Amino acid sequence: MSDVSQAAQIANKWRKKRGSLIMALHEIQDVKGYVDWQDAVDVSLNMGVPLARIYEVLTFYNFFKLEAPGKAVISVCTGTACYLKGNDKVLEKFKSELGINEGESTKDKMFHLQSVRCVGCCGLAPVCVVNGKTYGRMTPEMVPEILAEWRKTFEEE
């Protein structure tokens, strides 16, 4: 088994490709769900990019997570169609039910809540996506049912 971290291996793969820092960070996040401090250090050392530059990228783009998200990542679409059809109220219901704000995870790390600009399902607006499962024609009343569904899923694991 190699002593080289997974982040270092990914950084080495992208090192010689121009403009590849974001691609390397995306790949790390795809693999583990977030990019932590040690990953950033490994990328810095293996790509020859200053750590400050890496953190500029990680903190500028709201896509990147610096901490492990919850098991269920709830993405509430705030694109035009979803917003006009009331997804702002759905987002508020998720916040109140979970006791967290956008970009945060519950203390038990079961749920992570985020708003996204568009999920490409405007015909089903308003839309939420939880771990890749799409929920269309959302109402605030559906939120407790969705949370119960995912809690049950995790209890069965």
Side-chain angles (χ1 to χ4, degrees):
M1 187 166 190
S2 174
D3 287 339
V4 179
S5 74
Q6 198 166 26
Q9 291 172 14
I10 291 168
N12 281 327
K13 177 177 116 180
W14 288 98
R15 178 178 50 217
K16 294 189 182 190
K17 296 180 176 119
R18 183 172 165 80
S20 60
L21 175 60
I22 290 176
M23 298 307 295
L25 295 172
H26 272 293
E27 187 172 338
I28 291 166
Q29 183 158 298
D30 287 346
V31 168
K32 64 186 277 192
Y34 65 106
V35 181
D36 67 13
W37 171 258
Q38 189 57 54
D39 295 330
V41 169
D42 290 347
V43 169
S44 175
L45 293 173
N46 287 280
M47 291 184 81
V49 176
L51 191 56
R53 175 69 182 131
I54 293 168
Y55 265 85
E56 283 177 345
V57 171
L58 289 172
T59 57
F60 178 79
Y61 295 103
N62 66 4
F63 170 82
F64 291 114
K65 295 174 186 63
L66 301 176
E67 296 177 3
K71 287 181 175 182
V73 177
I74 303 165
S75 300
V76 179
C77 182
T78 58
T80 303
C82 288
Y83 182 81
L84 290 175
K85 293 200 173 190
N87 232 14
D88 58 325
K89 293 171 187 68
V90 172
L91 179 59
E92 289 306 314
K93 183 66 172 176
F94 273 116
K95 287 179 182 180
S96 67
E97 288 285 320
L98 296 170
I100 59 175
N101 289 310
E102 296 168 59
E104 296 178 348
S105 296
T106 55
K107 285 184 176 37
D108 63 4
K109 294 290 187 192
M110 188 173 288
F111 296 101
H112 180 83
L113 181 62
Q114 62 187 15
S115 63
V116 294
R117 289 289 167 219
C118 184
V119 296
C121 297
C122 301
L124 297 174
V127 175
C128 293
V129 179
V130 182
N131 284 8
K133 181 176 181 182
T134 303
Y135 297 87
R137 296 182 177 55
M138 284 292 302
T139 64
E141 295 74 28
M142 294 168 68
V143 169
E145 298 168 26
I146 292 169
L147 294 175
E149 172 188 337
W150 284 94
R151 283 185 179 106
K152 184 178 181 198
T153 298
F154 296 132
E155 288 171 4
E156 293 173 356
E157 287 182 349

